[in-house]
Amino acid sequence: MEKETAAVARNRKVVLRGYIDRAPREDDMELVDGGDVALRVPEGAAAAGPAVLVKNLYLSCDPYMRSRMRDFQGSYIPPFKPGSPIEGFGVGRVVDSTHPGFSAGDFVSGMTGWEDYSLITKPEQLRKIQQSDIPLSYHLGLLGMPGFTAYVGFYEICSPKKGEFVFVSAASGAVGQIVGQLAKLHGCYVVGSAGTNQKVELLKEKFGFDAAFNYKEEPDLAAALKRYFPEGIDIYFENVGGPILDAVLLNMRVHGRIAVCGMVSQHGVTAPAGIHNLFSLISKRIDMKGFIQSDYLHLFPQFVDDITKHYRDGKIVYVEDMSVGLESGPAAFVGLFSGKNVGKQVVRVSQD
Amino acid sequence: MEKETAAVARNRKVVLRGYIDRAPREDDMELVDGGDVALRVPEGAAAAGPAVLVKNLYLSCDPYMRSRMRDFQGSYIPPFKPGSPIEGFGVGRVVDSTHPGFSAGDFVSGMTGWEDYSLITKPEQLRKIQQSDIPLSYHLGLLGMPGFTAYVGFYEICSPKKGEFVFVSAASGAVGQIVGQLAKLHGCYVVGSAGTNQKVELLKEKFGFDAAFNYKEEPDLAAALKRYFPEGIDIYFENVGGPILDAVLLNMRVHGRIAVCGMVSQHGVTAPAGIHNLFSLISKRIDMKGFIQSDYLHLFPQFVDDITKHYRDGKIVYVEDMSVGLESGPAAFVGLFSGKNVGKQVVRVSQD
């Protein structure tokens, strides 16, 4: 009965200060006092259509958000608005709703703002979460966009076959850790790369990769891949771009597949690193395919069923890097681009 | 009755002098006197299995041959042997045969040597040519490997739909001119690029492209493509690599396809130009696929039927650049890499 007992609350926001064309820095964002917010859907908003007022609990830090900090309209998603809160996936609790599908107290995931309370004027994009043994924040990772990206990318783009040789870059990240575990469940041989020895250990000990290496300790990446894949790579799940992709191209097998998911090493770069070995696409007849999970939303229910079952059966684990407090959001986000995060980066705004 | 009347003939050869790791030059090859050749299958060769002695009439100059001049064993086709004749596709007349499928006087196409007479010890790779109204040399182009490359690349790799926007680079070349005409027949809008104004005219006047431009006269290739494709490119048939590919990546439409066929601009280059815009693969969900025609040989009979019919119906034309004399082979081949050839480059060794 929040409507009666707490008519207003203080709202803080993390806003974008202005567009950038380089790797993001903490001071590109700013925590501002958003004043009081009435804990109900305002009458004006309600008149424009159903709306939901959400208390944000967990916010997701995802590399693609970097592209919304540029003043570029030509992408599949528009840029952020300077002075307005950063937008991203989040998990929240419904405070008030004029949409018949949502009631106060419901837990939801979907696009929200980096603030304590968000008024969601397109509630049809929200998903209701059934609370269970699965941590709420996992709906931003294992059961959210990154997990679905891994699922779609591996099964729909990579066309995996049992026994194939799979390489995953940024392998301990939000997407990579799931790709590797799905590939193992599929009967593939899986090697991952990461940027610290701690992450390499995680890949081998926690996620069950067959092998893993620290790419920063390999002066010759092509030679390293040759060592881990003497017979070559059938499937490369591409999360980073740059020199690793070039080295992979020299080590692919005939009829190999490359699922191009992210190029996080190139996100902050005005002049992205050149890729020099694309001639391998011809000699090895490689299919290199970019994809975005939102093209495959018809598979989402199946994904949730499959992954939930694997998780409950103990066949998939998930590692998160939780940063505490809305004010920690900018640093957490910026850390993605230097690989500071260990596992899926989320920001806990509130526990209730 | 050549066996009786001309027991021997003089054989000349064009041999590779040594391996190179740069763009080929004329003096990387040498015309040498191969001495007399007996105009029959030698008894020793016959004992090892069926063989065919061929008088070479036409030889094909193809960009992929450049890769066989490198000392690199890891490709899909082994390097040439220094001191031995260059190998390539050719059309010839059978002089003698111990293979039941071929008789003296038959016209054949297949892998042969750059010399007057070649002993083919794997005659199963030869194709018998039915002489017809179609010029013999077209079996190296329109009805040969380049034509089949165009056919397979367009129909199997590009998944074309009527009304789509198609861009072809090196569009007046052996492959490009056929891709463009097939795309027109399929109901697509087709633009080609080439390196001289003469070739641009050819594309528009002879091959029926909707538009064409000289890439050397465009300081900003991305802007040029934007002009020719204001709504973007659905299909790019990639023959060149380098800066044109980078400009195309910025102009692709969502769910576009890139058939990677050749990267002739990169063939002679030790450090290939970097491609910087692969992030478009993700935002535009592009499928970029390398292919080699020999993976699709089951489609060859259908290809010959289809293209022969189009040719006889006047729906497809073909332009060759014919260089005369075996001795002209090295210059003709080297010219490919600076775009000297207008249309498919062949070498006429003999007319009979």
Side-chain angles (χ1 to χ4, degrees), chain A residues 11-20 24-32 56 58-70 77-90 110-120 326-334 336-337 347 349:
Chain A
N11 197 24
R12 299 168 304 155
K13 302 165 184 281
V14 172
V15 303
L16 179 70
R17 297 177 75 174
Y19 291 122
I20 56 170
R25 294 192 309 241
E26 270 190 68
D27 62 1
D28 294 323
M29 293 158 276
E30 188 179 14
L31 184 75
V32 299
N56 293 306
Y58 299 96
L59 299 172
S60 183
C61 295
D62 295 300
Y64 82 89
M65 296 163 70
R66 155 75 178 89
S67 65
R68 302 190 67 186
M69 294 184 165
R70 283 200 308 157
I77 186 164
F80 293 138
K81 286 201 195 86
S84 289
I86 303 289
E87 286 172 27
F89 289 104
M111 254 317 143
T112 188
W114 280 32
E115 54 193 340
D116 291 299
Y117 294 90
S118 292
L119 182 70
I120 314 286
L326 180 61
E327 65 283 4
S328 72
F333 176 67
V334 166
L336 288 179
F337 301 96
V347 176
V349 183

Side-chain angles (χ1 to χ4, degrees), chain A residues 70 74-76 238 245 254-255 260-263 271-279 281-292 294-296, chain B residues 70 74-76 238 245 254-255 260-263 271-279 281-292 294-296:
Chain A
R70 283 200 308 157
S75 185
Y76 61 100
E238 159 63 334
L245 173 57
V254 166
H255 298 304
V260 188
C261 172
M263 292 189 164
I275 298 298
H276 300 271
N277 298 329
L278 288 177
F279 55 82
L281 296 184
I282 307 172
S283 54
K284 301 297 176 59
R285 297 84 126 179
I286 295 166
D287 191 355
M288 185 170 177
K289 198 168 175 179
F291 72 100
I292 292 178
S294 54
D295 286 342
Y296 299 85
Chain B
R70 284 200 307 157
S75 185
Y76 61 99
E238 158 64 331
L245 173 57
V254 166
H255 298 304
V260 188
C261 173
M263 291 188 164
I275 299 297
H276 300 271
N277 298 329
L278 288 177
F279 54 81
L281 296 184
I282 307 172
S283 54
K284 301 297 175 60
R285 296 83 125 180
I286 295 167
D287 192 354
M288 184 170 178
K289 198 167 176 179
F291 73 101
I292 292 178
S294 53
D295 286 344
Y296 299 85

Side-chain angles (χ1 to χ4, degrees), chain B residues 181-182 184-185 207 309-317:
Chain B
Q181 293 180 84
L182 291 178
K184 282 304 298 173
L185 287 172
F207 301 128
K309 184 172 186 320
H310 286 324
Y311 179 74
R312 293 205 169 121
D313 292 348
K315 288 184 176 162
I316 281 193
V317 296

Side-chain angles (χ1 to χ4, degrees), chain A residues 13-288:
Chain A
K13 302 165 184 281
V14 172
V15 303
L16 179 70
R17 297 177 75 174
Y19 291 122
I20 56 170
D21 206 7
R22 50 164 170 71
R25 294 192 309 241
E26 270 190 68
D27 62 1
D28 294 323
M29 293 158 276
E30 188 179 14
L31 184 75
V32 299
D33 183 346
D36 283 340
V37 59
L39 294 183
R40 67 183 52 157
V41 174
E43 279 178 27
V52 174
L53 184 71
V54 162
K55 180 175 190 187
N56 293 306
L57 304 179
Y58 299 96
L59 299 172
S60 183
C61 295
D62 295 300
Y64 82 89
M65 296 163 70
R66 155 75 178 89
S67 65
R68 302 190 67 186
M69 294 184 165
R70 283 200 308 157
D71 185 16
F72 175 64
Q73 299 287 345
S75 185
Y76 61 100
I77 186 164
F80 293 138
K81 286 201 195 86
S84 289
I86 303 289
E87 286 172 27
F89 289 104
V91 164
R93 185 168 47 74
V94 174
V95 174
D96 187 27
S97 168
T98 61
H99 186 290
F102 302 97
S103 317
D106 284 350
F107 290 99
V108 292
S109 71
M111 254 317 143
T112 188
W114 280 32
E115 54 193 340
D116 291 299
Y117 294 90
S118 292
L119 182 70
I120 314 286
T121 55
K122 288 179 181 161
E124 60 279 5
Q125 55 91 12
L126 293 175
R127 287 194 189 99
K128 209 189 282 194
I129 296 173
Q130 303 306 331
Q131 253 202 304
S132 71
D133 54 317
I134 296 178
L136 273 177
S137 58
Y138 278 24
H139 292 275
L140 300 179
L142 181 66
L143 289 173
M145 184 272 285
F148 190 49
T149 298
Y151 183 88
V152 162
F154 185 65
Y155 293 116
E156 300 296 309
I157 308 293
C158 295
S159 310
K161 287 187 274 296
K162 196 179 161 175
E164 286 193 321
F165 300 110
V166 175
F167 177 55
V168 185
S169 54
S172 69
V175 176
Q177 57 177 292
I178 303 175
V179 173
Q181 293 179 87
L182 291 178
K184 283 305 297 173
L185 287 173
H186 204 75
C188 299
Y189 179 84
V190 185
V191 178
S193 66
T196 68
N197 293 339
Q198 179 200 6
K199 293 178 185 178
V200 167
E201 279 312 295
L202 203 58
L203 292 175
K204 293 191 283 191
E205 302 307 323
K206 181 115 185 159
F207 300 129
F209 282 55
D210 294 290
F213 65 90
N214 180 347
Y215 71 88
K216 291 181 181 166
E217 294 186 349
E218 296 290 348
D220 181 340
L221 288 166
L225 288 170
K226 182 88 191 153
R227 228 163 49 232
Y228 287 102
F229 295 98
E231 297 179 59
I233 300 167
D234 292 298
I235 291 173
Y236 173 44
F237 200 98
E238 159 63 334
N239 285 314
V240 297
I244 293 186
L245 173 57
D246 243 347
V248 165
L249 284 166
L250 297 178
N251 282 280
M252 290 295 288
R253 296 181 90 181
V254 166
H255 298 304
R257 288 131 272 151
I258 299 179
V260 188
C261 172
M263 292 189 164
V264 69
S265 81
Q266 303 304 306
H267 267 287
V269 182
T270 308
I275 298 298
H276 300 271
N277 298 329
L278 288 177
F279 55 82
S280 286
L281 296 184
I282 307 172
S283 54
K284 301 297 176 59
R285 297 84 126 179
I286 295 166
D287 191 355
M288 185 170 177

Side-chain angles (χ1 to χ4, degrees), chain B residues 158-184:
Chain B
C158 294
S159 310
K161 287 187 275 294
K162 196 179 159 175
E164 285 193 320
F165 299 109
V166 176
F167 177 55
V168 186
S169 54
S172 70
V175 177
Q177 55 176 296
I178 304 176
V179 173
Q181 293 180 84
L182 291 178
K184 282 304 298 173

